[in-house]
């Protein structure tokens, strides 16, 4: 068992972001291509979003679908749902219509938020649909002060859908208490300095995105959103990471291996990187990954493990010298305030 660690259970995720915004109003909270959203803008826009959602009945455990692509307004919508006390359900526009319809039916959403360019692609099963554009027209007349969300730590934060072992998408409902614990712990092991930059690389429908987003905001860091077309191109990704001065990157093993191969081919190494955190699949230390970290002398590699049902359960920081890394690193020990049980075939 990990040792018990205090965390501010009386504060909600939205309140904690607001505290950071008060302390760093002019720092960049989000960078996306040539757009920058400061903490003041993030806080005020998400307050407006929360007020609009509350008017429409959103509150604790009420699910709000987000059928949105990668953009600052998506981040604002997500935070707005949290501040309204609600629970967001990411719906990847790239998913087949049948799967999306099944998820919508299963999640029983009260509302769905989308963007102008995706409005016509929303499945017909959708509940009330609201369109959030880059100018935030939808919430322009709402007050910028915070609303009382009314959620307790045991109310839901999000529902994400896994592929499900049955072939049917399976919703995993995560409480705010669990997320707050994870994010507070995450920032004890890899904190971006205030203004430090973390890639928002994970697919929005993947739980790691929650870790990227909130661990960055609670530390006063900057979230660098990766455009979708660059996300699938390892060479462009490396260049963007280097140009943007990214310091922290969460990514699965397969993507890390692709990056290491691309770095070997191009000689591009993102020198500002300080922490690479892998999760989602078994980490293997290949010759290319070893060489990648031998070039990045100030960068640490973390191996995290946990199914979607628990988010991260264990973590292991690899030693400083990549030459000493085993081919199959340990998944480490339990994160703060959690216990791990290794079961035999009899449970």
């Amino acid at each position: 068992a990990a040792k018990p660690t205090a965390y501010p259970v009386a504060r909600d995720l939205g309140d904690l972001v607001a505290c950071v915004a008060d302390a760093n109003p002019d720092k960049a909270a989000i960078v996306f291509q040539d757009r920058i959203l400061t903490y003041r803008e993030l806080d005020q826009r998400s307050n407006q979003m929360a007020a609009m959602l509350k008017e429409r009945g959103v509150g604790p455990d009420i699910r709000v679908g987000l059928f949105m692509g990668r953009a600052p307004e998506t981040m604002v919508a997500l935070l707005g749902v949290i501040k309204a006390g609600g629970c967001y359900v990411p719906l990847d526009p790239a998913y087949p219509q049948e799967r999306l319809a099944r998820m919508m039916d299963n999640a029983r959403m009260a509302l769905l938020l989308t963007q102008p360019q995706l409005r016509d692609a929303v499945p017909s099963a959708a509940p009330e649909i609201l369109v959030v554009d880059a100018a935030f027209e939808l919430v322009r007349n709402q007050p910028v002060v915070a609303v009382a969300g009314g959620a307790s730590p045991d109310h839901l934060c999000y529902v994400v859908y896994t592929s499900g072992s049955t072939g049917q998408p399976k919703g995993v409902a995560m409480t705010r208490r669990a997320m707050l614990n994870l994010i507070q712990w995450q920032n004890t092991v890899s904190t971006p300095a205030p203004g430090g930059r973390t890639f928002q690389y994970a697919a929005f429908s993947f739980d790691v995105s929650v870790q990227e987003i909130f661990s960055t905001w609670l530390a006063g860091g900057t979230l660098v959103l990766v455009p979708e077309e660059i996300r699938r191109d390892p060479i462009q990704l490396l260049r963007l990471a280097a140009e943007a001065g990214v310091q922290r990157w969460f990514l699965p093993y397969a993507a890390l291996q692709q990056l290491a191969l691309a770095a070997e081919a191009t000689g591009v190494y993102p020198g500002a990187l300080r922490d690479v955190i892998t999760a989602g699949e078994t980490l293997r230390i290949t010759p290319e990954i070893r060489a990648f970290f031998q070039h990045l002398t100030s960068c640490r590699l973390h191996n995290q493990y946990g199914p979607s049902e628990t988010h991260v359960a264990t973590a292991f920081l690899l030693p400083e010298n990549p030459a000493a890394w085993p081919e199959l690193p340990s998944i480490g020990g339990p994160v703060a305030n959690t216990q791990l049980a290794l079961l035999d075939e009899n449970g």
Side-chain angles (χ1 to χ4, degrees), residues 144-219:
V144 297
V145 294
V147 296
S152 78
D154 294 313
H155 283 123
L156 295 179
C157 174
Y158 64 77
V159 173
V160 297
Y161 281 81
T162 69
S163 52
S165 47
T166 59
Q168 299 283 13
K170 185 178 62 175
V172 172
M174 188 63 71
T175 64
R176 291 160 181 255
R177 183 190 301 274
M179 280 321 301
L180 191 53
N181 183 62
L182 171 64
I183 284 155
Q184 297 283 12
W185 166 81
Q186 179 63 60
N187 279 351
T188 64
V189 293
S190 74
T191 312
R197 296 180 151 212
T198 297
F199 250 168
Q200 203 284 291
Y201 168 80
F204 197 40
S205 52
F206 188 40
D207 56 12
V208 173
S209 63
V210 191
Q211 211 176 341
E212 293 170 333
I213 294 163
F214 283 100
S215 70
T216 301
W217 287 343
L218 293 199

Side-chain angles (χ1 to χ4, degrees), residues 33-346:
Q33 295 166 324
D34 55 358
R35 288 178 67 190
I36 293 174
L37 220 61
T38 64
Y39 271 96
R40 181 189 288 108
E41 289 167 323
L42 172 67
D43 190 45
Q44 292 184 348
R45 294 291 194 201
S46 57
N47 285 344
Q48 289 179 303
M49 192 70 68
M52 182 275 297
L53 291 168
K54 280 195 85 73
E55 275 180 4
R56 285 167 165 79
V58 174
D61 289 347
I62 300 292
R63 268 87 66 203
V64 178
L66 299 182
F67 185 76
M68 302 177 81
R70 218 173 271 264
E73 53 270 28
T74 306
M75 301 291 119
V76 169
L78 180 157
L79 183 55
V81 174
I82 297 288
K83 284 184 171 185
C87 162
Y88 77 89
V89 186
L91 299 161
D92 192 327
Y95 281 173
Q97 289 276 320
E98 188 188 340
R99 178 179 167 87
L100 287 167
R102 203 176 283 142
M103 287 161 63
M104 283 178 188
D105 179 56
N106 184 260
R108 296 196 294 280
M109 296 165 208
L111 287 173
L112 185 136
L113 300 176
T114 190
Q115 292 158 293
Q117 68 272 28
L118 292 172
R119 175 64 188 83
D120 294 342
V122 174
S124 54
E128 184 186 355
I129 298 162
L130 300 169
V131 179
V132 185
D133 62 13
F136 298 101
E137 275 303 310
L138 178 66
V139 296
R140 195 162 44 94
N141 299 320
Q142 296 289 347
V144 297
V145 294
V147 296
S152 78
D154 294 313
H155 283 123
L156 295 179
C157 174
Y158 64 77
V159 173
V160 297
Y161 281 81
T162 69
S163 52
S165 47
T166 59
Q168 299 283 13
K170 185 178 62 175
V172 172
M174 188 63 71
T175 64
R176 291 160 181 255
R177 183 190 301 274
M179 280 321 301
L180 191 53
N181 183 62
L182 171 64
I183 284 155
Q184 297 283 12
W185 166 81
Q186 179 63 60
N187 279 351
T188 64
V189 293
S190 74
T191 312
R197 296 180 151 212
T198 297
F199 250 168
Q200 203 284 291
Y201 168 80
F204 197 40
S205 52
F206 188 40
D207 56 12
V208 173
S209 63
V210 191
Q211 211 176 341
E212 293 170 333
I213 294 163
F214 283 100
S215 70
T216 301
W217 287 343
L218 293 199
T222 300
L223 203 58
V224 179
L225 307 191
V226 182
E228 206 53 56
E229 60 279 9
I230 289 180
R231 205 175 152 265
R232 301 171 194 290
D233 183 329
I235 290 173
Q236 283 199 68
L237 258 176
L238 274 180
R239 294 208 169 107
L240 178 60
E243 285 161 18
V246 169
Q247 289 158 307
R248 189 169 63 159
W249 197 341
F250 294 77
L251 77 178
Y253 156 73
L256 178 58
Q257 174 65 11
Q258 291 295 317
L259 282 180
L261 287 166
E264 201 170 69
T266 60
V268 175
Y269 291 90
L273 267 180
R274 294 294 171 267
D275 291 283
V276 168
I277 298 123
T278 66
E281 54 191 347
T282 304
L283 172 62
R284 296 178 183 281
I285 302 300
T286 61
E288 296 81 15
I289 287 175
R290 214 181 290 279
F292 185 68
F293 284 93
Q294 280 165 335
H295 277 89
L296 298 171
T297 50
S298 303
C299 187
R300 305 181 301 171
L301 178 60
H302 307 251
N303 190 27
Q304 294 185 352
Y305 166 79
S308 299
E309 287 78 359
T310 64
H311 206 114
V312 173
T314 75
F316 178 67
L317 174 61
L318 277 78
E320 267 183 31
N321 178 13
W325 292 352
E327 197 176 318
L328 280 174
S330 163
I331 60 166
V335 304
N337 300 316
T338 62
Q339 288 181 307
L340 202 62
L342 296 179
L343 307 183
D344 63 15
E345 63 273 18
N346 302 311

